[in-house]
Amino acid sequence: GWKHAINTTIINFNNEKMQITWATRELFPDENVSFLYTFDEGKHKVWKPCTTYLLDQDYNSGCLFKTEGPTLAISIRNSNRSEELFFKKLKSDFYIKPNRPENVTFLWKEDTVNVSCNKPERAAMCLKLELQYKSKFDEEWQSRTSKCCSVREQGFDPRKCYSFRVRLWRLVPFCNVVHYSSDWEAETFWMNGTLLDSCDEDITSQSNKVIFLSCSLAVLLMMLILLILLCKWQRVQMSVLPAIPDPKYLFEDLFNDHNGNLQEWLDKKDHVMLQTQLEYEEPESITEAESQQEDGKNSEKQAPLEKILTFSGAAENNDGKAAEIACLIPASNSMASFAGFHILRNDDMYVML
């Protein structure tokens, strides 16, 4: 009974090749065993020796051979094959490990993706398709399983990049006695229905956009600051260091019009200044004359009243006071008349009315 207690691992690769391994260093530490197999049934079996051994530290630890039927019998014997150490009979179809999915396609519609692959020629009813995906923000894979050979999943964010991988599973216990799945198909990367080489491209592109926007804002801010500083500097410069006129423009006509003749240039300058002064004085004289005429009219209106007041006051005074007034008036050869009054004046006297 101990011959059936040895633990072995049996894998039928897509019903094409068989691989059987055992723990040779634990079970047979001092002997290099031999392996034989047969797919024949009945009493007349033809045992075939293993031609391709799997080694563990130079000891036979497994055998790889072609699958030739649904029923398999294996035998592990000593090195000279005289003694059988292990024997087992099994159904090779219950240990099938499927191949990877072939021709995997992704069909996107908004936030929904439909993943499909080619249907295997044999035993498609015993297979199911598994889809796993995760975004760059997920730590673990999300899984979705459906019958072969299509699976549908929805709820994908178009702003995220997702990694996808698929594999085929063999159904247990209807088709297999052990859970065997295929190897994962090559991982693919998608974002909003677009195939990418990797999700790092999305991160890189976003980081590049952030860097570009940051640099642009920094440049604009620096230009604004420089513009403000330039305006401030111009104001400070004008207040502290006023602009000095260029002397070459002041003496340009000295050399262009007078060929450097200073006296001729000065005479012209004096003539221009005098003419300009007269032009300004003429309007002022006209204005003064008009003002004097208006004052004359006003004086004519007020003259009778002043005349009456003056002479009435003089009449009331005595003759002695009139003589004092006569003494105070200086001798003069000129007579001034104004509004009917006659006033004697000399050259050193101002008359105020």
Side-chain angles (χ1 to χ4, degrees), residues 108 110-111 155-162 190-193 202:
W108 287 84
E110 296 178 354
D111 65 338
F156 294 100
D157 191 342
R159 298 169 298 178
K160 295 181 181 179
C161 178
Y162 292 89
W190 296 82
M191 181 178 178
N192 196 20
D202 176 46

Side-chain angles (χ1 to χ4, degrees), residues 71-177:
T71 303
L72 172 65
I74 59 175
S75 176
I76 299 176
R77 302 180 183 183
N78 58 4
S79 57
N80 58 11
R81 303 179 186 175
S82 61
E83 181 183 359
E84 187 177 71
L85 303 177
F86 176 75
F87 174 83
K88 187 173 184 179
K89 187 176 180 180
L90 53 96
K91 290 288 185 180
S92 61
D93 291 345
F94 287 169
Y95 297 87
I96 293 179
K97 176 181 175 67
N99 287 341
R100 292 179 178 178
E102 296 180 355
N103 193 23
V104 179
T105 59
F106 291 78
L107 297 178
W108 287 84
K109 186 176 181 181
E110 296 178 354
D111 65 338
T112 303
V113 61
N114 189 74
V115 184
S116 60
C117 65
N118 287 349
K119 191 173 184 179
E121 297 179 357
R122 299 174 56 185
M125 297 297 296
C126 291
L127 298 174
K128 60 182 179 179
L129 182 64
E130 181 184 11
L131 169 67
Q132 286 191 350
Y133 60 91
K134 68 176 181 178
S135 71
K136 59 186 178 182
F137 304 104
D138 299 328
E139 296 181 357
E140 298 181 354
W141 291 92
Q142 306 294 322
S143 183
R144 175 78 173 178
T145 305
S146 181
K147 64 180 182 179
C148 186
C149 290
S150 177
V151 59
R152 181 174 178 270
E153 184 66 359
Q154 61 183 3
F156 294 100
D157 191 342
R159 298 169 298 178
K160 295 181 181 179
C161 178
Y162 292 89
S163 304
F164 290 88
R165 63 182 184 180
V166 293
R167 64 180 175 180
L168 290 171
W169 275 95
R170 182 84 172 177
L171 295 178
V172 176
F174 305 103
C175 300
N176 262 32
V177 294

Side-chain angles (χ1 to χ4, degrees), residues 333-351:
N333 297 325
S334 62
M335 181 73 68
S337 299
F338 182 79
F341 293 95
H342 300 282
I343 302 172
L344 293 175
R345 63 180 182 84
N346 60 12
D347 295 335
D348 299 326
M349 179 178 177
Y350 288 95
V351 179

Side-chain angles (χ1 to χ4, degrees), residues 18 35 74 108 122 136 146 157 166 178 188 243 252 256 263 267 281 284 293 305 309 328:
M18 297 291 300
F35 181 85
I74 59 175
W108 287 84
R122 299 174 56 185
K136 59 186 178 182
S146 181
D157 191 342
V166 293
V178 290
T188 57
E252 183 177 3
N256 294 338
Q263 186 61 42
D267 294 341
E281 287 180 353
E284 293 178 358
Q293 289 179 1
L305 179 59
L309 292 174
L328 291 175

